[in-house]
Each structure stands twice: as structure tokens, then as C-alpha cells.
Amino acid sequence: SASHARYLDHLDALAATFPATAPFVPRRPADYAPQPGDIACRDRSRRALTDWAQRAFERGQFRPMHCDIVVATGPGVVEAIGGNLADAVTLARWPADAAGRILSPMLVIMENRLGRIPPWTGENRS
């Protein structure tokens, strides 16, 4: 989806319905240091949301957003790969605080729990 809102709404609904086992969980950027595999998202609208909880009031509606996949973290920096901006795939480098939280404006970080918690670790398969 050009807005990214469609799949973010789906991931958010899964997290609300299955909080212990959802593959992705929304995190406040001010409170969470992203890890490789997480999805960092910005609101690109003229009237940008300031908190992910505000999205609940318009779920299912179009909102221009853009997300990148976090690929590396280090002292003072978070790096992410994103595409479909100016027909290119690019590496973004965002400043981070000492705890690893992104200092650039972000709406939400979707914590990727695939491979990190059951059932996504493969430990519960027969």
C-alpha cells in the first residue's frame, strides 16, 4: 500500500487481539530502542499524528506514511532500508540517543518478534 497504513492497521489489530504472541507490536519511539528487523514508520501527512494511539480513531482510512526496516544499530545511530521513494531503495541513518532511541520524528516502531518469542522461534513445532 502506498500509505503503509493498511498493513500497519493489520499488525496493530493482531497485537491488540494476541498481545502475547503477535508477530509485531507497536512501540512508542520515545520509549523503545529499535532492533534489526523492526519497522520504523513516519506519518507524511499535512496533519501528522503525534502518537500511534491516535490512529485507532481512523483505522482503515488512508493516511500517507512511510516505513523502513531497521538493519543496524550502533552508538548514536539507527540505520534502516526503505524503498519506493523517488524510485529508489535507500539507506537512512537516523541519530539515536545513548539508549538507542531514534531522535528523528517517528510515529511508531513496530517491534518484530519473529524469531524472538514463541511461536515464532520454531521451538513449539513438532
Side-chain angles (χ1 to χ4, degrees):
S1 173
S3 72
H4 295 256
R6 174 169 291 216
Y7 70 82
L8 289 174
D9 285 350
H10 178 71
L11 294 177
D12 193 46
L14 286 174
T17 305
F18 306 104
T21 59
F24 289 86
V25 176
R27 302 290 184 197
R28 292 186 68 236
D31 300 335
Y32 178 75
Q35 300 297 310
D38 290 349
I39 303 171
C41 303
R42 297 176 305 284
D43 186 335
R44 300 186 322 168
S45 66
R46 291 181 194 168
R47 291 188 178 162
L49 300 175
T50 57
D51 189 279
W52 180 246
Q54 295 169 323
R55 178 70 185 156
F57 299 105
E58 62 178 34
R59 190 167 286 127
Q61 297 176 28
F62 175 81
R63 176 167 285 277
M65 296 183 190
H66 183 78
C67 299
D68 297 297
I69 299 170
V70 175
V71 294
T73 60
V77 68
V78 172
E79 296 181 336
I81 297 288
N84 204 29
L85 288 176
D87 293 324
V89 174
T90 59
L91 174 69
R93 287 188 177 100
W94 299 307
D97 66 13
R101 294 176 297 244
I102 298 173
L103 296 174
S104 296
M106 291 288 153
L107 177 60
V108 67
I109 307 290
M110 286 293 185
E111 177 189 2
N112 180 351
R113 301 192 309 177
L114 295 169
R116 298 178 188 171
I117 64 162
W120 310 110
T121 60
E123 296 171 10
N124 294 340
R125 295 187 183 145
S126 353

